[in-house]
Amino acid sequence: MTVETPNRVIKQHLIDPEICIRCNTCEETCPIDAITHDSNNYVVDVDICNSCMACVPPCPTGAIDNWLRVVAADAYSLEDQYSWSELPAEQELPAEAVETSADEAAAVSDEAAAAVADNDVTSELEGLPSTAAGASIPPWSAAHPYVNLYTHKNIATVTVAGNYRLTEADTDNAIHHIVLDFGELPFPVLEGQSIAIFPPGTDEQGRAYHARQYSIASPRDGERPNYNNLSLTVKRVTTDYDGKPVSGVCSNYLCDLQKGDKVKVIGPFGNTFLMPNLPHSNLIMICTGTGSAPMRAMTERCRRLTKNKAFNGKLMLFFGARTERELPYFGPLMNLPKDFIDINLALSRASDKPKRYVQDLIRERADDVLELLDDANTCIYVCGLKGMETGVIEALKDTVEGAGRNWPEVHAQLKSQGRLHFETY
Ligand code: FAD
């Protein structure tokens, strides 16, 4: 047990509210629930945080990586942090301040490492879905991603080149395909990365809205090959997660954009949800709704490579939606050759078919999924609403165990080899 030293100085872990895009990644990643949020800010509980650093690498913006030296007894409370619109300046420390010794710091960091390791084991045993369900490294052959080229201090202004609705007009699920032109601005991206967009206006406290993150739906060489543009797949949010009517700030702004409008963008973000860069790699893609955005990017990348005989791997897609009419990119998807992509549609509200979810289809196709999993060149990508993680992990687990194999071992291998990736929101 540590005896509190008066004026002991600690490095308090804090999140910069100006840069944070409220993507929830840190809260999901923290193995000991030290990070939480309200409608304003994401905050770190100084009484829980053990500086294990697990949350730092996944943060897309770097907002997470702030450490202020404070006297432990005067550490910022959660209430303090909830009220901030920017980080406070570093406190002037009293002359008699006692810095944490190197030995003490090492002990804390050992404890932290042990806590993370323990937690990993627990979640493996219980099969808990979290970001820990996926890899924290990219596939080894992935191309090098550029991240944070544009930040809130260096915002890119880009032009809308097109905006149209993907889902049928008579459905209450409006998903738009939006093309942004970057003109002369260098903005290199890879499939699986995202950008964030600042909606104009201010919140109830008069503060500028924070940026919202969107997956890139086009391949690295552009929505139109060799044009400096990219596309997004945006769902107009009209109800919250509980079904209550709301008007999502950024999604409505984006869905209403007209050609020629200017948009404020930061990014690119993401350095793990990336595709392998080998001609004989295989991709298992599992998505629902706008989770199809990175899958479209990856599929289109492979399609363009195939045309040049530079790709001969296998693509297997599990795509969930309520009905075909609400499935973004349904038409173009169905036109892809069967020997190029193995498409499995799970429809939960089709009038003429029984209710199916992506996990049902994974189980039905267990033999083929297993064959691909056994190939070290196969990577799995899961994208869509957070709720799908549990079902997908359970289905993969059943698939592996159905063949008499050990899921925790296979799962650990998929993660350590950067072959299983989640992007859920
Ligand atoms: P807000 O004004 O922020 O929220 C309004 C209310 O709606 C709140 O109560 C909120 O809890 C609720 N809400 C927020 N999002 C949803 C939702 N999806 N469904 C139901 N209720 C919701 N969105 C896309 O459309 N396409 C993408 O490709 C995409 N990629 C993402 C990638 C990442 C890594 C992350 C973290 C998020 C992604 N999102 C994507 C979600 C996106 O960032 C926004 O959260 C979403 O557009 C809602 O923002 P808003 O400003 O319209 O709603």
Side-chain angles (χ1 to χ4, degrees):
M1 202 182 96
T2 327
V3 178
E4 185 58 78
T5 317
N7 292 321
R8 184 171 67 91
V9 172
I10 56 165
K11 277 197 175 158
Q12 184 173 2
H13 185 197
L14 298 165
I15 298 174
D16 186 338
E18 277 191 292
I19 305 179
C20 172
I21 55 173
R22 281 79 175 164
C23 64
N24 205 47
T25 308
C26 53
E27 190 171 322
E28 284 162 20
T29 314
C30 179
I32 52 171
D33 294 334
I35 300 180
T36 176
H37 70 278
D38 70 357
S39 56
N40 249 359
N41 287 338
Y42 275 73
V43 298
V44 185
D45 192 330
V46 68
D47 293 330
I48 303 178
C49 176
N50 57 16
S51 311
C52 74
M53 307 296 278
C55 59
V56 174
C59 171
T61 62
I64 193 79
D65 201 6
N66 285 284
W67 308 84
L68 282 189
R69 287 164 75 244
V70 296
V71 172
D74 299 335
Y76 295 106
S77 67
L78 294 183
E79 279 60 41
D80 292 334
Q81 297 174 55
Y82 283 137
S83 70
W84 290 344
S85 49
E86 57 184 39
L87 280 181
E90 189 133 43
Q91 292 174 9
E92 197 161 319
L93 298 171
E96 61 277 23
V98 182
E99 298 281 349
T100 308
S101 72
D103 283 353
E104 223 179 310
V108 169
S109 128
D110 285 351
E111 265 176 46
V116 173
D118 280 355
N119 194 276
D120 256 7
V121 172
T122 316
S123 62
E124 185 65 71
L125 288 177
E126 293 171 8
L128 287 177
S130 71
T131 21
S136 55
I137 52 167
W140 71 265
S141 63
H144 172 76
Y146 287 90
V147 291
N148 292 319
L149 288 179
Y150 296 84
T151 66
H152 76 299
K153 293 210 169 103
N154 171 29
I155 298 173
T157 302
V158 307
T159 310
V160 177
N163 181 358
Y164 65 89
R165 183 172 165 145
L166 291 165
T167 45
E168 298 291 338
D170 61 350
T171 68
D172 57 8
N173 188 5
I175 299 182
H176 282 237
H177 184 71
I178 300 167
V179 182
L180 300 176
D181 192 314
F182 284 69
E184 298 297 311
L185 281 182
F187 204 92
V189 299
L190 291 175
E191 304 78 15
Q193 285 194 292
S194 58
I195 61 171
I197 293 185
F198 286 100
T202 54
D203 63 17
E204 284 145 13
Q205 283 82 42
R207 301 184 316 178
Y209 286 123
H210 64 80
R212 269 69 161 177
Q213 219 173 334
Y214 295 92
S215 302
I216 296 165
S218 48
R220 63 190 76 180
D221 57 339
E223 169 70 9
R224 180 169 175 182
N226 304 319
Y227 273 58
N228 192 20
N229 61 10
L230 59 77
S231 61
L232 305 176
T233 313
V234 180
K235 178 186 154 92
R236 188 189 286 278
V237 171
T238 53
T239 53
D240 68 11
Y241 294 109
D242 301 325
K244 261 201 353 248
V246 288
S247 182
V249 172
C250 196
S251 58
N252 281 275
Y253 159 68
L254 288 173
C255 291
D256 289 337
L257 285 171
Q258 304 291 316
K259 196 172 167 190
D261 284 348
K262 299 290 180 194
V263 177
K264 292 191 178 324
V265 171
I266 55 174
F269 302 122
N271 50 17
T272 56
F273 196 105
L274 301 173
M275 60 190 289
N277 221 13
L278 294 172
H280 51 281
S281 48
N282 310 308
L283 275 60
I284 299 179
M285 299 174 280
I286 305 165
C287 63
T288 55
T290 55
S292 54
M295 312 314 181
R296 178 183 185 267
M298 292 184 186
T299 303
E300 184 58 11
R301 166 78 181 159
C302 295
R303 196 188 65 82
R304 289 180 192 177
L305 287 172
T306 303
K307 272 189 7 193
N308 296 326
K309 303 204 180 324
F311 180 79
N312 58 9
K314 291 186 180 144
L315 303 187
M316 190 173 201
L317 173 71
F318 294 93
F319 195 165
R322 289 193 294 198
T323 63
E324 281 173 7
R325 302 167 68 70
E326 294 179 56
L327 209 140
Y329 309 115
F330 180 69
L333 190 60
M334 289 302 131
N335 288 335
L336 292 172
K338 301 258 171 309
D339 59 352
F340 167 67
I341 181 166
D342 177 351
I343 300 172
N344 300 269
L345 296 184
L347 303 175
S348 61
R349 289 204 203 154
S351 53
D352 55 336
K353 295 190 187 97
K355 204 181 246 204
R356 309 283 281 288
Y357 295 99
V358 283
Q359 54 268 32
D360 301 325
L361 295 189
I362 294 171
R363 288 192 179 88
E364 273 175 34
R365 299 289 313 273
D367 290 348
D368 300 304
V369 170
L370 205 60
E371 194 183 318
L372 283 181
L373 277 186
D374 279 341
D375 182 338
N377 293 308
T378 300
C379 292
I380 308 169
Y381 301 88
V382 185
C383 189
L385 287 181
K386 189 140 290 307
M388 72 187 291
E389 283 190 17
T390 316
V392 169
I393 283 284
E394 285 298 319
L396 292 175
K397 179 171 179 274
D398 290 351
T399 300
V400 169
E401 289 182 346
R405 308 256 299 276
N406 181 314
W407 167 245
E409 264 173 30
V410 173
H411 189 191
Q413 196 177 43
L414 289 172
K415 290 201 304 183
S416 66
Q417 295 175 347
R419 294 173 49 205
L420 175 61
H421 295 277
F422 288 83
E423 182 106 293
T424 57
Y425 41 87

